[in-house]
């Protein structure tokens, strides 16, 4: 049944003359819209003092950080030297290639810039971003499924999907959907339940939970996800690049949760007088 659904999907959502609007691009757009709505909701629920200008500034920094970080991260982590030899191809986002780990680094840099501009504590902005992130991950992984990319290894399970092309004609794990559920829906449910507390948990709690949860889920799913062909397995065919990049996230997540529990710093908005 799942294979039938996939075969009926078209990566192009809408065609307007020479312009093609793809589901992958729409996933980014809707993800940013949901992030903006959730940012407004949480800032009010947590009783943070954030002006409209500050919210727009934070969103703009997040958008730029994700797009630039995800693209540059893919070129560095998964390009296997190709983009060093063809630097102009870095700009060819329409050809695909975005990295979560690069996007995470980019959004942290963007959050730091936004913190300096708005004077909202960096840790509070990262906590807000952590609650928003799983929704974007859910949409992005669903778009990966529609595109027939980042598929899993062969399987004889009844929900295996024949992706065709480079993936061949054997049924494979729809690992994109596994990630959509775990990294997206499950992680969002956990973080949103934590975010409903008033007053909110101390600074570092939400970003720590996100990094820990994402790192664990991604590490486990990588066991059944087909590694990138240009890289394959690493360290004696034991680990994928995704697993190696996720291990530091688990460590950072645990460290941040310990930091939040020890310091117990309250969430804060803009300082008085701003």
């Amino acid at each position: 049944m799942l294979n039938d659904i996939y075969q009926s999907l078209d990566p192009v959502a809408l065609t307007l003359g020479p312009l093609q609007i793809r589901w992958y691009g729409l996933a980014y757009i809707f993800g940013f819209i949901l992030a903006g709505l959730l940012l407004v909701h949480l800032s009010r629920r947590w009783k943070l003092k954030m002006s409209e200008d500050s919210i727009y500034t934070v969103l703009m920094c997040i958008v730029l950080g994700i797009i630039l970080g995800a693209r540059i991260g893919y070129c560095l982590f998964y390009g296997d030297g190709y983009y060093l030899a063809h630097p102009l191809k870095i700009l060819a986002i329409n050809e695909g290639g975005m990295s979560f780990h690069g996007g995470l680094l980019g959004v942290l840099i963007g959050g730091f810039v936004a913190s300096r501009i708005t004077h909202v504590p960096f840790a509070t902005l990262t906590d807000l971003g952590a609650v928003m992130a799983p929704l974007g991950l859910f949409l992005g992984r669903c778009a990966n499924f529609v595109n027939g990319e980042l598929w899993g290894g062969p399987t004889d399970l009844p929900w295996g999907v024949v992706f065709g092309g480079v993936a061949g004609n054997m049924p494979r794990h729809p690992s994109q959907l596994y990630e959509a559920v775990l990294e997206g829906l499950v992680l969002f449910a956990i973080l949103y339940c934590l975010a409903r507390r008033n007053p909110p948990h101390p600074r570092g709690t939400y970003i720590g939970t996100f990094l820990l949860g994402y790192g664990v889920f991604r590490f486990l799913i990588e066991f059944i996800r087909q590694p990138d062909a240009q890289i394959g397995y690493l360290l004696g065919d034991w680990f994928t690049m995704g697993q190696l990049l996720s291990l530091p996230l688990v460590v950072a997540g645990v460290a941040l949760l310990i930091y939040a529990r020890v310091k117990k710093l309250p969430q804060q908005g803009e300082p008085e007088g701003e």
Side-chain angles (χ1 to χ4, degrees):
M1 179 178 178
L2 187 57
N3 183 61
D4 293 336
I5 294 175
Y6 170 76
Q7 301 303 330
S8 67
L9 296 174
D10 187 342
V12 178
L14 183 64
T15 300
L16 299 173
L19 177 65
Q20 288 187 336
I21 301 176
R22 304 178 72 88
W23 287 110
Y24 194 78
L26 291 177
Y28 270 83
I29 292 173
F30 286 127
F32 292 139
I33 292 173
L34 289 175
L37 294 174
L38 194 55
L39 175 60
V40 173
H41 169 69
L42 289 178
S43 64
R44 292 175 178 172
R45 184 174 186 86
W46 291 3
K47 296 180 172 58
L48 302 177
K49 183 178 179 293
M50 291 183 67
S51 66
E52 288 187 10
D53 286 345
S54 293
I55 289 176
Y56 290 139
T57 297
V58 171
L59 284 175
M60 183 58 66
C61 290
I62 287 176
V63 170
L64 290 175
I66 289 176
I67 293 176
L68 294 176
R71 181 56 178 173
I72 294 173
Y74 176 83
C75 296
L76 291 176
F77 300 146
Y78 298 96
D80 195 30
Y82 173 79
Y83 294 97
L84 293 177
H86 306 85
L88 291 180
K89 283 293 187 178
I90 295 176
L91 303 177
I93 298 179
N94 61 303
E95 297 181 4
M98 304 289 271
S99 161
F100 164 80
H101 298 90
L104 175 62
L105 182 58
V107 80
L108 289 175
I109 294 174
F112 177 77
V113 173
S115 175
R116 297 300 297 268
I117 295 173
T118 63
H119 304 295
V120 177
F122 175 62
T124 290
L125 291 183
T126 58
D127 276 344
L128 288 169
V131 183
M132 299 184 290
L135 292 177
L137 285 171
F138 170 75
L139 294 172
R141 294 310 185 194
C142 289
N144 291 146
F145 177 74
V146 174
N147 282 350
E149 57 193 7
L150 307 183
W151 17 264
T155 180
D156 56 2
L157 292 172
W159 56 81
V161 175
V162 178
F163 290 100
V166 179
N169 295 320
M170 74 285 288
R172 292 181 175 274
H173 284 286
S175 55
Q176 315 96 324
L177 299 184
Y178 301 166
E179 291 186 82
V181 171
L182 293 176
E183 302 167 5
L185 297 181
V186 172
L187 197 49
F188 175 73
I190 294 171
L191 286 162
Y192 189 71
C193 286
L194 292 174
R196 288 182 57 81
R197 175 183 168 181
N198 257 324
H201 291 279
R203 277 181 250 172
T205 300
Y206 302 93
I207 183 63
T209 302
F210 172 77
L211 293 177
L212 175 60
Y214 178 88
V216 170
F217 289 148
R218 177 68 181 270
F219 188 90
L220 294 176
I221 292 174
E222 285 282 327
F223 282 113
I224 56 174
R225 175 173 156 176
Q226 194 76 16
D228 294 77
Q230 72 274 22
I231 296 179
Y233 291 96
L234 305 172
L235 300 182
D237 294 340
W238 280 97
F239 298 104
T240 66
M241 177 63 79
Q243 287 176 316
L244 292 180
L245 292 174
S246 294
L247 285 175
L249 301 187
V250 175
V251 175
V254 172
L256 284 167
L257 288 172
I258 294 173
Y259 168 85
R261 185 172 182 84
V262 172
K263 293 294 186 179
K264 297 182 180 178
L265 297 175
Q267 304 288 354
Q268 292 182 357
E270 297 173 77
E272 294 297 328
E274 290 291 327

